[in-house]
Structures are given as C-alpha cells and as structure tokens.
Amino acid sequence: MSQFRGPLAIAAVSLTVPLIATVTQSAPSAPSASPATPAASPKSAAPATSAAPSKPAKPSAKPGPTKAPSAIPAVQDYDAASGPGWKPQRSTRVVVAPDNSRALADEGKLLAQELKRGYSAAGSGRAGDIELALKPGGAPESYTLTVRDGRVRVTGADEAGVFYGTRTVKQALAADGRLSEGVVRDKPAKPQRGVMLDTARKHFSADWIEDTVREMGDLKLNQLGLHFSDDQGFRIASDSHPEVVSQQHLTKAEVRRIVKLAESRHITVIPEIDSPGHLGAVMDAHPELQLRDAQGVPARGAVDIANPDSARIVDDLLSEYADLFPGQYMHLGGDEYQALTKRNPEASYPGLAREAVRKYGPNAKIQDLATGWLNDRAATVRPHGKSLKAWNDGLHAGGVVKADQDREVEYWTGKEIGAREPQEYLSEGRKLVNANDEYLYYVLGEPNTFTYPTGRRIYESWTPLVLRGTTPVPARYADQILGGRLAIWCDLSNAQTQEQVARGIHLPMRALAQKTWDSGKPALDWEGFKALAERTG
C-alpha cells in the first residue's frame, strides 16, 4: 500500500513514559514520514499481555487544561470537570468488566494493541487504566466516556457504542496526548453512515478494502456497500455461476476475511447485484438473456425481464451471496434500466409490453414489469433475513404495480428519466439514504458533469436533508432520512490508482462522518477541521 494510506487508515498510537508521542500523518507533502505499523484484526492477533509494575503510577494532582476530546466526528456533549485529566502510564491497561469479557474482547484487545498496553478481563480497574463496560438502556451506538480519579471509563449501550468510545480515546490521544477531566455523552444523529465502493468497474484488492474498513471504523462509519456486478465486471467468485466471474476478482475467502474485519469494527458489508440493468458481465456469458428492441438492437447492460431464465440466474446469484454476506442488508440496484429510457418504451420493446399485460393486466406497462421484477427479487432474498435497498430511479411513479413499501430508497439523482423529487418518496412514507450525486459521488475520471467531491464542500454545505442538488427537504422529514453514503464509482477505471482514490476520499470521508454523526453546524471552521484531520490520522 502507499505510504500515505497506511497511517491514515490505522494510525497506531505509540506511547512512551512520561510523554505520549503524537502520531504524524504521512502525506505527499511529507514523504519522509515513517508509515505506522498496520493494526491487525483483533480476532486474528495475539492477545496483548497484561504484565505491569507492582506499583502503578499515580496521576498528578495538578489540574490540567480542560477541553472536549479532539475527534472526528466531534463529540456531541462534554461536561468539563476540575482535575488533572489523564495520560497513559507505563502501568496502563485496558480492562473489561468480567460480565462483558466475551462481548467486548474485540474492542478491548484492539485498543490495547493500538496503545501498546496490556489487556485484562479482570473487571476492576485501577489508577491509570481504561475500563470498558456495557450499560444497556441508552440509544443504539451511544456511549459515555468519563475521565475521573486518574482513570478512563467507557460505557456503551451496546458493543458498537463501546467501540466508538474507544475510537474517541484513540483520536484524542493522537491529537492531544491526553484526555481532560469530565464526561462525554455521545451518539450518532443518523443510523446509517457509510461508503459505497464500485468494485465491478475497477478491481480493488482485499488489502485495500481492509485498509478502508479500518479507516471507516475509526471514523465511526458503519456501512460498506460493495457494487461488485456491472457491465464491466463481476468481481466475487461464484459457485452457482462461475462462468460470469471476471478474471480479477475477490475470492470467497477474501470476502469472508473482509466481512470478519468489518464485523469487528461494527461495519455491515452490503452486497449489490444491480438488476435488471447493469448486468452486462452476466450477459457476456449468457448472451441469450440480452434485451433487444423491435429492430433487434441490444440494450446495453439490460437483461430481458420477459425471459424467465433471466430471473433464474439472478435469483441463483442473489441467494448465493445472501449467505456469503451475513449482514442485515442487500442492495437490489434497479437503476437505469434501458427499456425505460426510451420516449415510448412499449413501442420500442413490444415483447416486454406484451409480458407486462399478460402478467399484470391490460393497463400494465413496462415500468410495471420492472417494478414487479424487483419485487420478485426481493421475495427471493427476504427469506434470508435481509432488508432490501434500491436506487431511487428503480421506484417508479404511478403504474398498476407498486414497489414494496419496506424497500429503502438510496437517493442519488433527479437527473435520470423518470426520476422523482425526494419529497415524492418521503410523502409516501418511505425511508431514504442520502447519496446525493451533487456532493457525494466520487466518479473516477469525472465523466459527464461529475467533479470530485471535496471535504470542504460536504462539511460546509451538505446535510442529510440535502438529497437532491443543493436544496434541503423540509426538516419534518428528518426522521425518514436514515443517513448518508459516499459513493466511489469507477466509470473511467484507469483514471486513478487505488492509492490516488485513497487520497481523494480522505477528507470527504471525514466530512461525511462528521455530518452524519451530528447534522448541525460544526463547531470548527473548515481549516480547523482539516488541521484536526491531520492530527488524528
């Protein structure tokens, strides 16, 4: 990996006594900086030892400076208190309450690794220690961080909350070398905060994806979407249809490794097989499934949804990957079906028009057949316990067939033919995730009207309410907007290397993390936020 990427993704905190060494960021402007040693997955690493001197160091009684922990995203609530604060000592351990020793082992061992300190499931901490414990009853993913009596205590409503508390500790030590006395109470504004990666058009190595997972975890992002099937490639090994898989692809062992690492960082990996459009790689092996118009001209990427064999192969793949990815969600795609981009779809594709009438009645049109297609694919996946997502232009207005109400809408554009304003979906009671292509689309090569998003623009101008263009929807819809996603698309796959992508998304990821954790106006201005990003890694 590039020298730039390693310390950004994992920024291991190296401590000495009595001083804590500040972590430096290795960036293009400082090529001589030494890369940090990557932190291994806590499930695969050897446990840290718990050896310590017999007499732990006592904290100084002298009051220290008081400030909220420096972290991205910023903590939401901090009650300052008088006292010396806390710095790691040689005797410092990460201690997990006995009742939580199994549940919080990942969190405790990871932090102990990062701080190069001991780990213990003894339960009772002492001066200088960091104590981790579950305290059910709070909001999901919430935590409390208390600095008092020479020790740090992180309690969380769930395991994710405790993990996020340890991320605040890690970042604050990297930025400031200490934690001030007082109490932090913190929780996310939005339940879905993530990144989507187009691995179909450009193969990304398992190592690169794992580095991204580590980086996301430190930023309290909790979803990684993998768009691994499109016209240009199919990038995960398949047992049911090996013939569709591209030469460059992830093995199932690599996927399991990615998923295991993501789970340890409380990140859900969401697979996407986009249909009925964007199936060109599948049709390279099965040209008989290609949609053709009345003149026999093939529609790029579009499968013939009147052909029952099309449904069979897609259902085979959906079922296979539903088992490979154990997380809650699966993405069905649904966008840009070429038959629906014509001025008169029924005249252009009479075979689809006839099938729509046969299946759904005399008033049905091709859009109804496409809606029914996604409903049927959802029915295939739902028995696997999945919640379903689809792009907004895969849910059509009017028609005799309605999209399943439980399908979450990933809103990316209002520019496509047939695309609707966000408020139309919201007024139907649907839940949306914000993937606004104006702010959150990182498209390699900047084709069409796309430009690379900047962290500054997201930080200063975007909120989850800004679903389309630059205008927010009314605040009354805030609870229906579940969060946001930075989408990395690889339309011109050779325009950037993996390392260049890592550099390009560095600040946009941090800005997105801030604005989905706390949708209000940030306390820091952009320059202050950018400087903090350099200090926290």
Side-chain angles (χ1 to χ4, degrees):
M1 304 310 296
S2 69
Q3 189 181 45
F4 182 91
R5 183 58 183 273
L8 294 182
I10 52 182
V13 180
S14 176
L15 305 177
T16 59
V17 178
L19 298 176
I20 176 170
T22 301
V23 174
T24 59
Q25 174 178 312
S26 177
S29 59
S32 62
S34 299
T37 301
S41 167
K43 293 184 182 294
S44 61
T49 62
S50 56
S54 58
K55 187 176 181 181
K58 294 182 179 180
S60 168
K62 182 180 179 182
T66 298
K67 66 186 291 291
S70 298
I72 296 175
V75 302
Q76 292 209 33
D77 185 70
Y78 168 61
D79 291 335
S82 177
W86 180 88
K87 288 184 179 181
Q89 307 295 320
R90 182 177 286 113
S91 62
T92 291
R93 303 170 301 164
V94 179
V95 180
V96 173
D99 292 346
N100 307 147
S101 60
R102 290 178 64 87
L104 297 180
D106 281 356
E107 290 74 21
K109 291 176 183 178
L110 175 61
L111 185 62
Q113 279 183 345
E114 292 167 332
L115 302 187
K116 295 183 171 59
R117 291 297 183 268
Y119 168 80
S120 174
S124 179
R126 63 195 181 196
D129 285 348
I130 303 172
E131 304 171 13
L132 308 182
L134 291 171
K135 189 176 180 180
E141 302 182 295
S142 65
Y143 69 92
T144 300
L145 191 163
T146 304
V147 180
R148 183 183 298 142
D149 299 329
R151 70 191 71 191
V152 175
R153 182 172 177 80
V154 177
T155 61
D158 48 27
E159 294 171 41
V162 173
F163 174 69
Y164 295 145
T166 69
R167 301 305 86 194
T168 297
V169 170
K170 176 185 174 181
Q171 288 197 42
L173 293 179
D176 304 322
R178 66 186 300 278
L179 289 165
S180 296
E181 206 86 3
V183 180
V184 169
R185 297 177 182 85
D186 204 10
K187 63 181 181 180
K190 296 298 180 183
Q192 297 190 35
R193 311 173 302 278
V195 172
M196 191 234 70
L197 179 64
D198 172 14
T199 67
R201 294 178 178 89
K202 181 181 183 68
H203 174 67
F204 287 83
S205 70
D207 287 343
W208 192 96
I209 297 171
E210 287 177 312
D211 279 349
T212 301
V213 166
R214 295 185 183 100
E215 192 172 2
M216 290 173 62
D218 282 354
L219 296 171
K220 305 182 177 78
L221 298 173
N222 65 359
Q223 291 184 345
L224 172 64
L226 291 182
H227 178 94
F228 65 88
S229 168
D230 212 301
D231 299 341
Q232 296 82 354
F234 193 101
R235 303 291 183 182
I236 295 178
S238 171
D239 297 321
S240 64
H241 290 282
E243 74 279 2
V244 307
V245 180
S246 301
Q247 183 176 5
Q248 282 191 308
H249 64 272
L250 296 173
T251 66
K252 287 192 172 181
E254 287 174 322
V255 170
R256 292 187 184 101
R257 196 178 79 202
I258 291 165
V259 168
K260 183 177 181 180
L261 176 65
E263 288 176 339
S264 76
R265 265 63 171 182
H266 299 278
I267 294 169
T268 299
V269 183
I270 303 172
E272 179 191 353
I273 297 178
D274 196 349
S275 78
H278 297 282
L279 281 172
V282 171
M283 288 182 294
D284 284 345
H286 293 276
E288 72 279 5
L289 305 181
Q290 177 82 55
L291 176 65
R292 296 177 181 274
D293 67 12
Q295 284 72 47
V297 177
R300 186 171 185 267
V303 73
D304 182 357
I305 57 177
N307 184 342
D309 288 338
S310 299
R312 278 194 284 271
I313 191 170
V314 173
D315 284 349
D316 287 346
L317 294 167
L318 288 171
S319 296
E320 178 178 2
Y321 294 110
D323 293 334
L324 181 62
F325 292 89
Q328 175 186 354
Y329 286 100
M330 195 156 194
H331 201 305
L332 300 174
D335 63 311
E336 297 182 316
Y337 187 50
Q338 292 299 305
L340 296 175
T341 64
K342 301 296 183 182
R343 193 177 301 274
N344 187 336
E346 284 69 35
S348 296
Y349 297 97
L352 295 184
R354 288 192 297 272
E355 178 63 12
V357 170
R358 186 196 70 78
K359 193 168 184 179
Y360 297 114
N363 297 321
K365 296 185 176 181
I366 293 175
Q367 75 164 52
D368 297 299
L369 195 63
T371 298
W373 166 275
L374 278 194
N375 288 349
D376 291 344
R377 306 292 74 75
T380 295
V381 175
R382 204 173 279 116
H384 294 267
K386 303 296 185 185
S387 299
L388 289 314
K389 293 176 173 287
W391 299 111
N392 64 283
D393 52 327
L395 286 81
H396 310 288
V400 299
V401 180
K402 304 299 181 185
D404 297 329
Q405 188 65 29
D406 66 347
R407 193 177 309 150
E408 290 179 9
V409 181
E410 302 247 331
Y411 195 97
W412 70 282
T413 188
K415 302 170 186 174
E416 294 292 311
I417 294 175
R420 296 183 282 158
E421 292 282 351
Q423 281 182 239
E424 291 188 46
Y425 303 90
L426 293 166
S427 64
E428 295 172 0
R430 295 190 180 276
K431 295 179 179 179
L432 271 64
V433 173
N434 191 323
N436 186 340
D437 64 348
E438 176 76 21
Y439 289 92
L440 304 178
Y441 260 39
Y442 191 96
V443 185
L444 267 58
E446 300 181 303
N448 301 322
T449 60
F450 290 112
T451 58
Y452 291 126
T454 67
R456 180 169 194 160
R457 190 160 183 251
I458 296 169
Y459 189 76
E460 293 182 340
S461 304
W462 179 84
T463 74
L465 290 173
V466 183
L467 284 157
R468 174 181 178 177
T470 60
T471 303
V473 298
R476 66 178 180 273
Y477 293 119
D479 290 346
Q480 289 175 241
I481 301 171
L482 301 177
R485 188 108 56 244
L486 180 70
I488 304 161
W489 293 104
C490 303
D491 291 40
L492 300 176
S493 60
N494 294 324
Q496 289 190 340
T497 64
Q498 291 184 138
E499 290 76 15
Q500 288 172 321
V501 173
R503 287 196 293 270
I505 65 174
H506 178 68
L507 287 174
M509 277 179 61
R510 281 149 180 79
L512 176 81
Q514 175 61 45
K515 300 301 283 289
T516 51
W517 189 267
D518 183 349
S519 301
K521 182 177 175 60
L524 292 175
D525 64 13
W526 169 248
E527 291 303 324
F529 182 83
K530 184 178 177 181
L532 178 58
E534 293 173 355
R535 286 157 51 211
T536 55

